[in-house]
């Protein structure tokens, strides 16, 4: 049985003041949960998941989705039947210009349930990034490192707990989560100069991949 011993760096990350998880969105892939950058768009309103209708849907809307999920650029999309586990359709008739920081910022009907939507299908999106998570001290120990098609970096230590540890252990095949020891050995230039991502899994009812918890790139102090 592998046990996971992961060490979070001690730097404090600063979350931008305007980041309030507005219109938080993830990509939910029921067929391949190991890929957080492909799936149906799932948005949250007051902690309840819902879908986005595809009336007026275009590549600019998909560009916003891939950007806010930190999944790179849009590659393709197709129709997918809605899962019976999610019943709400929070957004529809969006007319994004591709530059918005949230789907809720797109013109149209950016309000929960304001537009009636009957179709049994919604859009399934595939973005360009491929996400790989690893540890720096071997298969099951070290600092948590991410690698995308665009960059490599580390996760901030804020908001890490047992839920996040268990999720990462399982995805790496490392058994159960063990502990968060004192990470004094990680005071290296590599950490000082690296990209960093802040995560927060709260408010997502079920997390299939740690990347779904990413909120924003962060600066250091």
């Amino acid at each position: 049985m592998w046990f996971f011993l992961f060490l979070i760096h001690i730097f404090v990350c600063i979350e931008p003041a305007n980041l309030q998880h507005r219109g938080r969105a993830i990509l939910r892939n029921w067929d391949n949960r190991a890929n957080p950058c492909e799936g149906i768009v799932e948005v949250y309103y007051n902690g309840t998941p819902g879908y986005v209708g595809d009336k007026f849907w275009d590549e600019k809307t998909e560009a916003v989705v891939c950007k806010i999920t930190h999944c790179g650029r849009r590659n393709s999309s197709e129709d997918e039947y809605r899962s019976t586990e999610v019943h709400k359709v929070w957004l529809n008739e969006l007319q994004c210009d591709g530059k918005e920081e949230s789907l809720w910022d797109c013109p149209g009907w950016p309000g929960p349930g304001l537009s009636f939507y009957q179709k049994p299908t919604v859009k399934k999106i595939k973005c360009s990034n491929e996400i790989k998570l690893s540890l720096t001290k071997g298969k099951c120990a070290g600092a948590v490192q991410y690698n995308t098609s665009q960059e490599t970096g580390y996760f901030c230590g804020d908001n890490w707990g047992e839920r996040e540890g268990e999720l990462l252990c399982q995805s790496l095949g490392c058994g159960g989560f063990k502990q968060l020891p004192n990470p004094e050995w990680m005071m290296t230039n590599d950490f000082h100069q690296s990209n960093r991502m802040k995560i927060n899994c709260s408010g997502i009812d079920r997390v299939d991949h740690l990347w779904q918890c990413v909120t924003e790139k962060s600066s250091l102090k």
Side-chain angles (χ1 to χ4, degrees), residues 60-147:
K60 293 180 180 179
T61 308
E62 294 173 10
V64 175
V65 171
C66 291
K67 177 174 66 174
I68 64 179
T69 55
H70 305 279
C71 284
R73 302 177 305 278
R74 59 87 51 194
N75 277 349
S76 62
S77 64
E78 60 185 4
D79 288 340
E80 180 90 350
Y81 281 97
R82 294 191 255 163
S83 168
T84 57
E85 293 191 22
V86 177
H87 303 285
K88 302 290 186 180
V89 176
W90 288 133
L91 297 173
N92 190 30
E93 301 186 40
L94 301 182
Q95 300 181 63
C96 307
D97 64 17
K99 299 177 182 178
E100 289 87 356
E101 297 299 322
S102 166
L103 287 173
W104 302 84
D105 294 334
C106 295
W109 292 94
L114 291 181
S115 178
F116 191 59
Y117 191 79
Q118 283 187 304
K119 288 178 62 177
T121 61
V122 289
K123 289 299 186 216
K124 179 180 180 180
I125 299 177
K126 184 175 183 179
C127 304
S128 61
N129 271 351
E130 296 183 5
I131 310 299
K132 181 181 179 181
L133 305 182
S134 61
L135 299 170
T136 57
K137 290 294 182 178
K139 177 178 173 60
C140 296
V144 188
Q145 187 176 54
Y146 69 84
N147 187 284

Side-chain angles (χ1 to χ4, degrees), residues 28 45 81 98 101 117 149 163 166-167 177 188 209 215:
R28 180 78 72 189
Y45 177 73
Y81 281 97
E101 297 299 322
Y117 191 79
S149 305
R163 182 188 188 191
E166 288 287 354
L167 184 66
F177 169 72
T188 66
H209 193 287
T215 58

Side-chain angles (χ1 to χ4, degrees), residues 178-191:
K178 191 174 182 180
Q179 61 179 331
L180 298 173
N182 184 5
E184 292 180 355
W185 61 270
M186 289 193 296
M187 295 293 290
T188 66
N189 288 334
D190 182 42
F191 281 84

